[in-house]
Amino acid sequence: MTDLLTAVSIIFVVVGPFLLIANRFNLPTVPFFVLAGIIAGSIIDPDLTLELAQYGIALLVFSFGVDIDLSAVRTVIVDSEIAAFGQIVVVGSLGVILGVVLGVSPVEAIYLGVAGALSSTIVGTALLQGDIGMNVVHGRLARSIQFVQDLFAIVLVLVLGASTLAVFPVATAVGYGAALIVAAFLVNRYVFDVIGRLAGDSDELMILGVVTMLALFVGAAEFAGISIVVGAFAAGLAVRHDPVEYLGLFNGLESLKDFFVAIFFVTIGALITFPFVEIGWTASVEKLLLAGVLVVLTVVVKPAVTTAILIYQGYERRSATLTSLNTDQVSEFALVIAIQGLLVGALSESVFDAIIFAAAVTMITSSLSQRYEEEIYRTLASRGILPSAHGKIDEWSMVPPNLSDHVVIVGYGRQGQKLVETCEEVGQPYVVIENDPARRKTVLDRCTGIVVGDAMERYTWEKANAEDARIVVSTVDSEPVSRRILSLGLDADMTLRASDQSTALSLIEAGALYVSVSELLAGQQLVRQIQPLLEDDLSPEELRQHRQDELDDRIEPDYRYQLR
């Protein structure tokens, strides 16, 4: 334990300067974590790094289990299953075939296929965080695909962790894993709220209870002789709950996740063995060939397969492309499987090093592809590589016939709902453009017109009959979306939203009629609320009651239901 703490201390001493550089120049942090790991790996013992990597991945998987929101992926789960297993079958098969062609054993080729086929939930989710893409079509699809693949990966971890393909050991391992998952759902349903009630208002006691639960599940996995990653995943499922109800707990867990994410990327860098430097010429060439095959499969073939499947299912080409760019990295589960294979002797050092090297490369390239995803999509679309598909928009949308002189409302959040209410009060025809499929049923129930589609795509606006619209009101705080709306060349007046005053001014100069600035409006509202209090026209109790009534009126019904 002392050695592990020393290793963690070394890692963070090395990481600090790299993070300062990344933050100073607004650069992706993943490459800097990996670079820091390369330096730390020259100091930390390799066996200790391997052990740290296993614990780091297990704790990350726990945090992923905590974050699973089944309602968020339910709307696209069927399509995601097809895309996820399409990836596994096509890319996995190519990985196995190419591995055998390059001279590795069939067993090792299977590990290569697994590494190429599975995508990283941790990397994909981290890259989506803070982006409006988290709750739009491509965000839902990416998370759902990763969820399906992670369930498949859990089974692979159990099967390959048995160290044999004999029926009884494999069935035993899978049985233990299934028992832990079932126990997790039971704990989540019947025990977690009891812990919450016993803890009262103490976030510290809740966090202590969750850590204890994690230790119990990981200990149970160790006792059963299966991977601790399975125990950690089960513990996450046991804790999975509504964040609103346990806000302090989940804020604390989010901070822990950031810590483990850093550990994960650094250990990937620390495990890298450099060709031509630390190993001989022949071994270096073999390693680079295998790693190159894995990188091409992961960065090129896998996104291409995903995009093709989703377009075939009727998704717009932009949503399909952005979804695929969230799957262009080697999975943390593939690394767990590779480490297991190395420890039991099923995987040679050279093949293991190739998988680690490919994982580090793809995690760096994935952070870059996410940063330039729009440019990548525009390049592919402009060259005619991506065919058009509108099946899902047509299937999910409902637009009144002969709609004209109407209001196009982009986004059905709180502002969008208020705009819909106003249009209905004054008898103004309208249509809502919403890109979150999870909101589709709610919008259909409450609105007379809806287009479930990407506001960045022209067909969405054609579906909304925007050419005949009276005004377009965007409630989405996204400069790319606002710029895209202005570029459509519509005759309708444009009312947009911006996060700051300088962006708002540039949008008005570009042709917008009006641009709301959230921070500015919030300040003005605060002055209107406080001024009557200062002038003694309103008592503190009346102000508090007035604000509470206002919030009760504005809160979304779905959110209100969660609070019950």
Side-chain angles (χ1 to χ4, degrees):
M1 180 59 73
T2 303
D3 291 338
L4 278 176
L5 291 175
T6 302
V8 171
S9 300
I10 292 172
I11 284 172
F12 280 96
V13 168
V14 175
V15 164
F18 284 94
L19 278 184
L20 287 175
I21 295 171
N23 289 331
R24 174 67 179 81
F25 296 100
N26 192 29
L27 298 171
T29 56
V30 173
F32 288 90
F33 280 134
V34 174
L35 286 172
I38 292 171
I39 295 174
S42 63
I43 304 171
I44 304 171
D45 180 73
D47 292 336
L48 194 60
T49 303
L50 209 59
E51 184 180 358
L52 187 61
Q54 292 183 81
Y55 281 109
I57 293 171
L59 293 169
L60 271 180
V61 170
F62 163 73
S63 67
F64 165 66
V66 171
D67 287 339
I68 288 176
D69 181 6
L70 295 179
S71 64
V73 301
R74 189 177 294 121
T75 52
V76 293
I77 190 66
V78 175
D79 296 334
S80 300
E81 287 174 351
I82 296 171
F85 286 111
Q87 275 187 13
I88 291 168
V89 171
V90 176
V91 181
S93 299
L94 285 173
V96 172
I97 292 169
L98 292 173
V100 172
V101 169
L102 290 174
V104 304
S105 69
V107 172
E108 290 182 312
I110 291 173
Y111 282 92
L112 285 173
V114 169
L118 300 180
S119 303
S120 174
T121 299
I122 302 303
V123 178
T125 304
L127 293 172
L128 279 170
Q129 288 285 0
D131 178 44
I132 62 168
M134 200 69 165
N135 295 322
V136 296
V137 172
H138 76 264
R140 300 288 191 196
L141 282 168
R143 293 164 71 190
S144 186
I145 289 171
Q146 290 154 357
F147 172 66
V148 172
Q149 287 196 348
D150 284 350
L151 293 180
F152 179 75
I154 289 289
V155 177
L156 280 180
V157 168
L158 292 169
V159 171
L160 297 177
S163 305
T164 177
L165 294 179
V167 175
F168 182 74
V170 169
T172 302
V174 172
Y176 282 138
L180 282 177
I181 299 298
V182 170
F185 279 106
L186 292 174
V187 169
N188 181 265
R189 187 174 181 84
Y190 298 108
V191 178
F192 188 82
D193 283 330
V194 174
I195 296 174
R197 287 194 294 271
L198 291 174
D201 295 328
S202 173
D203 294 332
E204 291 79 7
L205 283 177
M206 278 300 299
I207 293 175
L208 181 61
V210 167
V211 171
T212 302
M213 202 177 299
L214 172 62
L216 288 174
F217 275 95
V218 169
E222 286 265 28
F223 180 77
I226 59 177
S227 173
I228 60 171
V229 171
V230 180
F233 180 74
L237 293 178
V239 173
R240 182 181 62 86
H241 228 72
D242 176 19
V244 175
E245 194 171 351
Y246 299 100
L247 191 59
L249 167 66
F250 284 93
N251 284 339
L253 292 179
E254 194 67 28
S255 300
L256 286 176
K257 184 172 74 172
D258 294 339
F259 173 82
F260 296 132
V261 165
I263 291 288
F264 170 69
F265 287 122
V266 172
T267 52
I268 294 301
L271 287 171
I272 292 176
T273 303
F274 279 96
F276 307 111
V277 176
E278 299 176 78
I279 53 179
W281 179 271
T282 304
S284 297
V285 172
E286 179 186 354
K287 172 183 171 178
L288 286 177
L289 279 173
L290 292 174
V293 166
L294 268 181
V295 169
V296 171
L297 285 174
T298 305
V299 176
V300 179
V301 178
K302 185 160 55 177
V305 169
T306 307
T307 302
I309 292 172
L310 292 175
I311 289 177
Y312 178 78
Q313 291 175 302
Y315 286 95
E316 296 168 275
R317 54 188 182 178
R318 182 173 181 271
S319 295
T321 303
L322 299 192
T323 299
S324 71
L325 291 176
N326 269 285
T327 66
D328 62 346
Q329 66 288 120
V330 174
S331 169
E332 57 278 350
F333 279 106
L335 300 181
V336 171
I337 292 169
I339 291 171
Q340 283 185 340
L342 179 69
L343 294 177
V344 301
L347 203 59
S348 65
E349 285 277 358
S350 61
V351 177
F352 176 77
D353 289 344
I355 292 174
I356 293 296
F357 194 79
V361 170
T362 58
M363 287 172 184
I364 291 173
T365 58
S366 185
S367 67
L368 296 174
S369 67
Q370 281 294 297
R371 172 165 285 207
Y372 300 106
E373 61 180 5
E374 199 63 45
E375 290 82 354
I376 293 171
Y377 163 68
R378 292 295 170 195
T379 300
L380 294 174
S382 64
R383 295 184 178 181
I385 297 174
L386 301 172
S388 297
H390 311 301
K392 288 298 178 183
I393 293 184
D394 293 336
E395 176 188 340
W396 287 344
S397 302
M398 183 186 69
V399 180
N402 304 318
L403 186 66
S404 63
D405 198 32
H406 57 291
V407 177
V408 179
I409 301 169
V410 184
Y412 193 68
R414 289 184 177 86
Q415 290 186 17
Q417 292 177 40
K418 283 293 181 184
L419 287 167
V420 167
E421 290 174 7
T422 301
C423 287
E424 290 180 345
E425 286 173 3
V426 300
Q428 170 65 51
Y430 68 89
V431 63
V432 174
I433 293 178
E434 175 57 60
N435 200 19
D436 185 355
R439 284 182 172 174
R440 174 176 168 264
K441 186 178 184 303
T442 301
V443 183
L444 280 173
D445 290 342
R446 302 179 194 169
C447 302
T448 58
I450 171 179
V451 175
V452 180
D454 189 350
M456 298 290 285
E457 288 292 282
R458 181 170 287 276
Y459 183 77
T460 301
W461 296 91
E462 293 175 2
K463 191 73 177 177
N465 201 22
E467 290 286 350
D468 297 327
R470 176 181 178 182
I471 186 170
V472 174
V473 183
S474 175
T475 66
V476 179
D477 186 3
S478 168
E479 186 174 355
V481 171
S482 297
R483 298 285 181 189
R484 179 57 175 160
I485 294 172
L486 290 171
S487 73
L488 293 171
L490 302 174
D491 293 331
D493 291 322
M494 310 285 183
T495 299
L496 308 174
R497 184 179 173 189
S499 57
D500 57 76
Q501 296 181 49
S502 61
T503 303
L505 284 172
S506 67
L507 291 174
I508 289 176
E509 291 172 358
L513 172 69
Y514 177 83
V515 181
S516 66
V517 182
S518 303
E519 188 175 305
L520 186 61
L521 292 175
Q524 292 171 346
Q525 184 183 26
L526 180 61
V527 170
R528 286 198 300 269
Q529 296 281 0
I530 297 299
Q531 187 173 352
L533 183 66
L534 298 177
E535 295 174 351
D536 295 326
D537 293 335
L538 200 67
S539 69
E541 292 76 16
E542 289 173 331
L543 176 61
R544 184 183 298 111
Q545 186 61 48
H546 173 72
R547 185 56 177 164
Q548 184 175 341
D549 293 341
E550 189 178 54
L551 290 173
D552 284 339
D553 290 338
R554 291 187 178 184
I555 196 167
E556 294 184 36
D558 294 341
Y559 182 76
R560 184 184 289 123
Y561 176 77
Q562 291 176 359
L563 293 177
R564 290 177 181 174

